[in-house]
Protein backbone atom coordinates (compact mmCIF):
# COMPACT_ATOMS: atom_id res chain seq x y z
CA UNK A 1 0.00 0.00 0.00
CA UNK A 2 2.87 2.40 0.73
CA UNK A 3 3.68 2.87 -2.95
CA UNK A 4 0.14 3.73 -3.94
CA UNK A 5 -0.71 6.80 -1.87
CA UNK A 6 1.38 9.93 -1.41
CA UNK A 7 0.84 10.26 2.36
CA UNK A 8 1.94 6.67 2.96
CA UNK A 9 4.95 7.08 0.68
CA UNK A 10 6.00 10.16 2.65
CA UNK A 11 5.70 8.25 5.90
CA UNK A 12 8.01 5.41 4.86
CA UNK A 13 10.43 7.66 2.95
CA UNK A 14 11.02 9.52 6.21
CA UNK A 15 11.96 6.18 7.82
CA UNK A 16 15.05 5.98 5.58
CA UNK A 17 14.00 3.22 3.22
CA UNK A 18 16.12 2.75 0.11
CA UNK A 19 13.43 1.93 -2.43
CA UNK A 20 9.67 1.76 -2.81
CA UNK A 21 7.54 -0.16 -5.25
CA UNK A 22 4.24 1.16 -6.54
CA UNK A 23 0.85 -0.30 -5.85
CA UNK A 24 0.07 -2.18 -9.06
CA UNK A 25 -1.73 -0.10 -11.70
CA UNK A 26 -3.99 -1.84 -14.19
CA UNK A 27 -6.90 -1.50 -16.59
CA UNK A 28 -8.75 -4.61 -15.41
CA UNK A 29 -12.47 -4.26 -14.82
CA UNK A 30 -12.72 -5.61 -11.29
CA UNK A 31 -13.36 -4.47 -7.72
CA UNK A 32 -12.45 -0.84 -7.15
CA UNK A 33 -12.83 -0.77 -3.39
CA UNK A 34 -11.65 -3.25 -0.77
CA UNK A 35 -13.88 -4.17 2.17
CA UNK A 36 -12.51 -3.11 5.56
CA UNK A 37 -10.67 -4.44 7.40
CA UNK A 38 -8.11 -5.20 4.71
CA UNK A 39 -6.12 -7.70 6.76
CA UNK A 40 -7.46 -10.49 8.96
CA UNK A 41 -5.04 -11.74 11.66
CA UNK A 42 -5.48 -15.42 12.47
CA UNK A 43 -3.78 -15.43 15.88
CA UNK A 44 -7.11 -16.03 17.66
CA UNK A 45 -7.07 -19.55 16.19
CA UNK A 46 -3.89 -20.59 18.00
CA UNK A 47 -0.32 -19.51 18.79
CA UNK A 48 1.01 -21.13 15.63
CA UNK A 49 -0.91 -18.49 13.63
CA UNK A 50 0.29 -15.46 15.57
CA UNK A 51 2.08 -13.89 12.56
CA UNK A 52 -0.37 -15.08 9.91
CA UNK A 53 -2.80 -12.81 8.06
CA UNK A 54 -5.15 -13.22 5.14
CA UNK A 55 -5.47 -10.14 2.99
CA UNK A 56 -8.40 -8.65 1.10
CA UNK A 57 -6.40 -6.34 -1.18
CA UNK A 58 -5.10 -6.71 -4.69
CA UNK A 59 -4.35 -3.88 -7.12
CA UNK A 60 -4.47 -0.09 -7.00
CA UNK A 61 -8.04 1.12 -6.38
CA UNK A 62 -7.47 4.69 -7.61
CA UNK A 63 -8.72 4.87 -11.21
CA UNK A 64 -5.86 4.39 -13.67
CA UNK A 65 -5.81 7.82 -15.33
CA UNK A 66 -6.45 9.60 -12.04
CA UNK A 67 -3.42 7.93 -10.44
CA UNK A 68 -1.05 9.09 -13.16
CA UNK A 69 -2.40 12.62 -12.91
CA UNK A 70 -2.47 12.94 -9.11
CA UNK A 71 -0.88 10.40 -6.72
CA UNK A 72 1.80 9.08 -9.07
CA UNK A 73 3.61 12.41 -9.63
CA UNK A 74 3.37 13.26 -5.92
CA UNK A 75 4.84 9.90 -4.86
CA UNK A 76 7.69 10.19 -7.36
CA UNK A 77 8.46 13.72 -6.15
CA UNK A 78 8.52 12.56 -2.52
CA UNK A 79 10.82 9.65 -3.37
CA UNK A 80 13.20 11.84 -5.38
CA UNK A 81 13.39 14.37 -2.56
CA UNK A 82 14.31 11.59 -0.11
CA UNK A 83 16.78 9.76 -2.40
CA UNK A 84 14.41 6.77 -2.58
CA UNK A 85 14.20 4.68 -5.75
CA UNK A 86 10.55 4.52 -6.87
CA UNK A 87 9.76 1.45 -8.98
CA UNK A 88 6.59 1.34 -11.10
CA UNK A 89 4.28 -1.67 -11.07
CA UNK A 90 1.63 -2.79 -13.54
CA UNK A 91 -0.44 -5.81 -14.46
CA UNK A 92 -1.94 -6.78 -17.78
CA UNK A 93 -3.97 -9.79 -18.82
CA UNK A 94 -2.59 -12.38 -21.21
CA UNK A 95 0.48 -12.10 -23.41
CA UNK A 96 -0.73 -9.79 -26.17
CA UNK A 97 1.49 -6.69 -26.63
CA UNK A 98 -1.46 -4.29 -26.60
CA UNK A 99 -2.31 -5.40 -23.04
CA UNK A 100 1.10 -4.29 -21.74
CA UNK A 101 2.61 -1.59 -23.97
CA UNK A 102 0.56 1.35 -22.72
CA UNK A 103 0.95 0.31 -19.10
CA UNK A 104 4.74 0.35 -19.14
CA UNK A 105 4.90 3.45 -21.33
CA UNK A 106 2.75 5.39 -18.87
CA UNK A 107 5.15 4.50 -16.06
CA UNK A 108 8.16 5.46 -18.16
CA UNK A 109 6.51 8.78 -19.05
CA UNK A 110 5.88 9.42 -15.35
CA UNK A 111 9.63 9.27 -14.80
CA UNK A 112 10.36 6.06 -12.90
CA UNK A 113 13.71 4.38 -13.52
CA UNK A 114 12.41 0.81 -13.68
CA UNK A 115 9.15 -1.14 -13.68
CA UNK A 116 8.14 -4.40 -12.02
CA UNK A 117 5.49 -6.52 -13.73
CA UNK A 118 2.97 -7.96 -11.30
CA UNK A 119 3.30 -11.43 -12.73
CA UNK A 120 3.61 -12.99 -9.29
CA UNK A 121 0.38 -11.75 -7.73
CA UNK A 122 -1.20 -14.55 -5.67
CA UNK A 123 -4.50 -14.43 -7.50
CA UNK A 124 -6.85 -17.28 -6.82
CA UNK A 125 -7.94 -17.80 -10.40
CA UNK A 126 -10.28 -20.70 -9.77
CA UNK A 127 -13.74 -19.51 -10.76
CA UNK A 128 -12.32 -16.48 -12.60
CA UNK A 129 -13.95 -15.32 -15.79
CA UNK A 130 -12.25 -16.56 -18.95
CA UNK A 131 -11.15 -13.04 -19.94
CA UNK A 132 -9.09 -12.61 -16.76
CA UNK A 133 -7.66 -16.06 -16.15
CA UNK A 134 -4.18 -15.17 -17.47
CA UNK A 135 -3.52 -12.48 -14.89
CA UNK A 136 -0.78 -12.41 -12.28
CA UNK A 137 0.58 -15.75 -11.11
CA UNK A 138 -0.57 -17.85 -14.12
CA UNK A 139 1.79 -15.80 -16.29
CA UNK A 140 4.68 -16.55 -13.94
CA UNK A 141 4.20 -20.31 -14.02
CA UNK A 142 4.63 -20.81 -17.76
CA UNK A 143 8.08 -20.13 -19.31
CA UNK A 144 6.70 -19.29 -22.76
CA UNK A 145 4.03 -16.90 -21.49
CA UNK A 146 6.46 -15.26 -19.06
CA UNK A 147 9.07 -14.73 -21.78
CA UNK A 148 6.49 -13.29 -24.18
CA UNK A 149 5.27 -10.74 -21.63
CA UNK A 150 8.84 -9.65 -20.87
CA UNK A 151 9.64 -9.37 -24.58
CA UNK A 152 6.55 -7.21 -25.15
CA UNK A 153 7.44 -4.81 -22.33
CA UNK A 154 11.15 -4.59 -23.11
CA UNK A 155 10.31 -3.63 -26.68
CA UNK A 156 7.99 -0.84 -25.51
CA UNK A 157 10.26 1.14 -23.15
CA UNK A 158 13.91 2.05 -22.59
CA UNK A 159 14.01 1.44 -18.82
CA UNK A 160 14.63 -1.94 -17.12
CA UNK A 161 11.73 -4.36 -16.65
CA UNK A 162 11.63 -6.51 -13.50
CA UNK A 163 9.93 -9.91 -13.56
CA UNK A 164 8.13 -10.98 -10.37
CA UNK A 165 8.09 -14.66 -9.38
CA UNK A 166 5.29 -16.58 -7.73
CA UNK A 167 5.97 -19.34 -5.17
CA UNK A 168 3.25 -21.39 -6.88
CA UNK A 169 5.64 -22.06 -9.77
CA UNK A 170 6.99 -25.62 -10.02
CA UNK A 171 9.21 -24.72 -13.02
CA UNK A 172 10.98 -21.76 -11.43
CA UNK A 173 14.35 -22.47 -13.03
CA UNK A 174 12.81 -22.71 -16.51
CA UNK A 175 10.76 -19.54 -16.04
CA UNK A 176 13.60 -17.34 -14.80
CA UNK A 177 15.94 -18.63 -17.47
CA UNK A 178 13.33 -17.79 -20.11
CA UNK A 179 12.66 -14.25 -18.86
CA UNK A 180 16.37 -13.50 -18.55
CA UNK A 181 16.89 -14.53 -22.18
CA UNK A 182 13.84 -12.44 -23.17
CA UNK A 183 15.49 -9.30 -21.81
CA UNK A 184 14.39 -8.86 -18.19
CA UNK A 185 16.55 -6.36 -16.34
CA UNK A 186 16.04 -8.01 -12.94
CA UNK A 187 13.96 -10.63 -11.15
CA UNK A 188 12.17 -10.38 -7.80
CA UNK A 189 11.27 -13.40 -5.67
CA UNK A 190 8.88 -14.02 -4.14
CA UNK A 191 5.30 -12.86 -4.07
CA UNK A 192 3.01 -14.56 -1.56
CA UNK A 193 0.62 -17.46 -1.89
CA UNK A 194 -3.09 -16.85 -2.02
CA UNK A 195 -4.96 -17.77 1.13
CA UNK A 196 -8.25 -17.76 2.99
CA UNK A 197 -9.66 -19.11 6.22
CA UNK A 198 -12.76 -20.91 7.45
CA UNK A 199 -13.91 -20.52 11.03
CA UNK A 200 -14.94 -24.10 11.76
CA UNK A 201 -16.56 -23.15 15.09
CA UNK A 202 -18.97 -20.81 13.32
CA UNK A 203 -19.11 -22.85 10.12
CA UNK A 204 -18.34 -19.84 7.94
CA UNK A 205 -15.53 -17.95 6.28
CA UNK A 206 -13.37 -15.83 8.54
CA UNK A 207 -12.85 -12.39 7.10
CA UNK A 208 -14.12 -12.06 3.57
CA UNK A 209 -15.74 -14.72 1.44
CA UNK A 210 -12.73 -15.00 -0.86
CA UNK A 211 -9.26 -16.37 -1.30
CA UNK A 212 -6.92 -13.38 -1.32
CA UNK A 213 -3.31 -12.92 -0.32
CA UNK A 214 -1.63 -14.78 2.54
CA UNK A 215 1.01 -13.27 4.81
CA UNK A 216 2.64 -15.90 6.99
CA UNK A 217 5.29 -13.75 8.63
CA UNK A 218 8.66 -15.24 9.57
CA UNK A 219 7.31 -18.78 9.17
CA UNK A 220 7.10 -18.08 5.44
CA UNK A 221 10.81 -17.27 5.12
CA UNK A 222 12.31 -20.80 4.93
CA UNK A 223 10.20 -21.68 1.89
CA UNK A 224 10.46 -18.28 0.19
CA UNK A 225 14.22 -18.18 0.75
CA UNK A 226 14.57 -21.62 -0.82
CA UNK A 227 12.51 -20.57 -3.83
CA UNK A 228 14.79 -17.54 -4.09
CA UNK A 229 17.83 -19.85 -4.06
CA UNK A 230 16.28 -21.69 -6.99
CA UNK A 231 16.42 -18.40 -8.89
CA UNK A 232 19.91 -17.34 -7.80
CA UNK A 233 21.42 -20.75 -8.51
CA UNK A 234 19.90 -20.71 -12.01
CA UNK A 235 21.07 -17.12 -12.66
CA UNK A 236 24.07 -16.63 -10.32
CA UNK A 237 25.17 -13.25 -11.74
CA UNK A 238 21.77 -11.72 -12.44
CA UNK A 239 20.25 -8.67 -10.64
CA UNK A 240 17.86 -10.09 -8.03
CA UNK A 241 15.45 -8.69 -5.43
CA UNK A 242 14.69 -10.96 -2.47
CA UNK A 243 11.70 -10.92 -0.18
CA UNK A 244 9.25 -13.04 1.75
CA UNK A 245 8.95 -13.30 5.53
CA UNK A 246 11.38 -10.46 6.22
CA UNK A 247 10.93 -8.96 9.70
CA UNK A 248 14.47 -8.04 10.82
CA UNK A 249 17.77 -6.82 9.44
CA UNK A 250 19.21 -10.32 9.68
CA UNK A 251 16.39 -11.56 7.45
CA UNK A 252 17.63 -9.12 4.81
CA UNK A 253 21.16 -10.47 5.27
CA UNK A 254 19.91 -14.02 4.58
CA UNK A 255 18.53 -12.99 1.20
CA UNK A 256 21.72 -11.09 0.39
CA UNK A 257 23.77 -14.17 1.26
CA UNK A 258 21.50 -16.08 -1.10
CA UNK A 259 22.33 -13.66 -3.94
CA UNK A 260 20.00 -10.65 -3.62
CA UNK A 261 21.16 -7.10 -4.33
CA UNK A 262 17.95 -5.58 -2.91
CA UNK A 263 15.58 -6.91 -0.25
CA UNK A 264 12.02 -5.87 0.38
CA UNK A 265 9.12 -6.23 2.78
CA UNK A 266 5.45 -5.25 3.15
Amino acid sequence: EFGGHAWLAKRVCEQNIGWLIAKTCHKINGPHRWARPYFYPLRKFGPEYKDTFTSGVMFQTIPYDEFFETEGPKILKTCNENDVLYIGSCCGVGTEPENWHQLVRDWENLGVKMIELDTGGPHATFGAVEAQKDCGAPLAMDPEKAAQVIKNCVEAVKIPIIFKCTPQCTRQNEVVDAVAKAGAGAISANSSFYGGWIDAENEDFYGGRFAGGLTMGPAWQPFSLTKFLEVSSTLPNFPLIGGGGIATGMDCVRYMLAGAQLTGLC
Side-chain angles (χ1 to χ4, degrees):
E1 309 306 304
F2 301 108
H5 297 82
W7 72 276
L8 285 171
K10 182 176 185 295
R11 181 171 133 191
V12 291
C13 282
E14 291 173 349
Q15 295 174 330
N16 297 318
I17 60 171
W19 63 286
L20 178 66
I21 195 159
K23 188 69 175 167
T24 301
C25 291
H26 64 98
K27 292 190 175 183
I28 299 168
N29 185 23
H32 301 290
R33 183 183 295 274
W34 309 124
R36 293 176 182 268
Y38 302 147
F39 300 97
Y40 303 91
L42 303 186
R43 56 182 176 268
K44 66 177 285 185
F45 296 97
E48 63 271 34
Y49 302 111
K50 71 182 183 68
D51 296 313
T52 303
F53 292 75
T54 57
S55 165
V57 300
M58 283 176 60
F59 302 137
Q60 174 66 266
T61 56
I62 300 172
Y64 186 88
D65 292 333
E66 180 184 335
F67 174 83
F68 283 99
E69 292 173 2
T70 58
E71 294 296 293
K74 288 190 287 186
I75 296 171
L76 182 61
K77 182 174 184 291
T78 296
C79 288
N80 289 341
E81 290 173 349
N82 289 274
D83 196 26
V84 172
L85 172 65
Y86 187 45
I87 300 175
S89 176
C90 59
C91 184
V93 179
T95 60
E96 294 77 12
E98 59 269 23
N99 292 346
W100 292 91
H101 279 183
Q102 193 60 53
L103 299 174
V104 293
R105 284 171 179 160
D106 286 341
W107 274 114
E108 183 179 48
N109 291 336
L110 182 67
V112 299
K113 296 179 180 177
M114 58 186 71
I115 304 165
E116 182 185 81
L117 307 184
D118 191 358
T119 44
H123 311 122
T125 54
F126 39 85
V129 296
E130 182 71 19
Q132 295 178 12
K133 69 173 186 176
D134 274 344
C135 172
L139 295 174
M141 292 189 281
D142 184 301
E144 292 183 8
K145 290 180 180 179
Q148 186 59 54
V149 170
I150 285 292
K151 184 175 182 292
N152 294 340
C153 295
V154 168
E155 289 175 347
V157 295
K158 296 179 180 179
I159 57 177
I161 297 293
I162 304 168
F163 179 82
K164 186 176 185 180
C165 295
T166 175
Q168 301 172 59
C169 185
T170 57
R171 305 168 67 187
Q172 188 99 306
N173 59 327
E174 295 177 51
V175 168
V176 298
D177 185 57
V179 298
K181 290 176 179 175
I187 293 172
S188 64
N190 292 280
S191 187
S192 65
F193 278 114
Y194 52 69
W197 193 255
I198 292 177
D199 184 344
E201 190 73 27
N202 293 302
E203 300 180 7
D204 200 359
F205 282 88
Y206 181 71
R209 286 179 162 271
F210 52 75
L214 177 63
T215 303
M216 291 181 282
W220 162 233
Q221 190 175 159
F223 181 80
S224 182
L225 186 64
T226 305
K227 292 295 289 185
F228 180 87
L229 283 166
E230 192 172 355
V231 178
S232 62
S233 61
T234 303
L235 303 170
N237 299 308
F238 202 78
L240 303 176
I241 302 171
I246 288 179
T248 71
M250 291 307 292
D251 294 336
C252 294
V253 171
R254 287 188 189 91
Y255 277 97
M256 290 176 178
L257 290 171
Q261 286 79 46
L262 293 179
T263 57
L265 63 155
C266 296

